[in-house]
Amino acid sequence: IPLVTGWNLVSFNLQPASTAIADVLSSIEGHYTLVNAWDAATQLWLQYDPAAPSYANDLLTLDHTMGFWIYMSAADTLVVTGTPPTTTNINLQTGWNLVGYPSMDLLSLPGALSDHGVTDYSIAMAFHANETDQWKAFDPAAPPYANNLLEITPNWGYWIQVSSESTWTVSYDQP
């Protein structure tokens, strides 16, 4: 996963052998300074600072269901090794959710969500750090020309706002 200097909003699509954050991010050690993830159940940010003492960090693991912000002090490529999941159920809480996309396929919106268990959402957003127009959004109530997030893609993290709890079912290989 190519990462640029500055903030990146990413995810990965494999189940790593170890979900310990230092293990998952070992390929970019020394090139990142902060990692944040949103816990939708508690409505709190979790953080990992590799320079901080361990007791100061509450983001201890990363897995294929999570989207996360990572601040890169230098551009690098994150290499995650692991096992491809078959199907992953991602529980979405009422409000904002920061999730990963554990698939190898691109899926067009709105079907990427609505055909896979998420029908009560008001917006999906992504941040593509490597593009000029970095913020992407899909609002199902907006006219098509107003949306610039047209598909869900592996390796990006996604903000999804839902009005009620739901489960997003993602297959690694979409039919």
Side-chain angles (χ1 to χ4, degrees), residues 96 109 122-128 133-140 142-151 159:
W96 285 103
L109 285 162
S122 56
I123 195 162
M125 299 179 71
F127 180 81
H128 293 186
D133 182 18
Q134 295 174 318
W135 280 104
K136 310 292 183 191
F138 182 85
D139 178 346
Y145 65 83
N147 291 313
N148 63 352
L149 180 62
L150 305 177
E151 58 192 9
W159 283 104

Side-chain angles (χ1 to χ4, degrees), residues 16-27 32 48 60 78-81:
S18 168
T19 60
I21 195 165
D23 293 344
V24 173
L25 302 178
S26 64
S27 66
Y32 68 94
Y48 176 73
L60 305 176
L78 174 61
V79 177
V80 177
T81 58

Side-chain angles (χ1 to χ4, degrees), residues 12-133:
F12 49 86
N13 61 0
L14 299 173
Q15 293 175 346
S18 168
T19 60
I21 195 165
D23 293 344
V24 173
L25 302 178
S26 64
S27 66
I28 57 171
E29 184 177 358
H31 292 146
Y32 68 94
T33 58
L34 200 59
V35 182
N36 292 318
W38 177 251
D39 184 338
T42 63
Q43 299 287 290
L44 295 172
W45 283 101
L46 302 174
Q47 182 173 290
Y48 176 73
D49 177 346
S54 59
Y55 65 83
N57 291 312
D58 54 7
L59 179 59
L60 305 176
T61 62
L62 290 175
D63 68 39
H64 62 292
T65 67
M66 303 168 69
F68 58 95
W69 288 97
I70 185 166
Y71 189 84
M72 298 296 294
S73 55
D76 204 344
T77 300
L78 174 61
V79 177
V80 177
T81 58
T83 307
T86 52
T87 299
T88 303
N89 291 320
I90 300 174
N91 295 321
L92 302 178
Q93 304 294 318
T94 301
W96 285 103
N97 296 267
L98 180 54
V99 297
Y101 178 59
S103 180
M104 62 180 266
D105 297 318
L106 309 173
L107 281 183
S108 297
L109 285 162
L113 296 172
S114 61
D115 294 347
H116 299 275
V118 184
T119 57
D120 195 15
Y121 69 99
S122 56
I123 195 162
M125 299 179 71
F127 180 81
H128 293 186
N130 62 340
E131 297 180 16
T132 303
D133 182 18

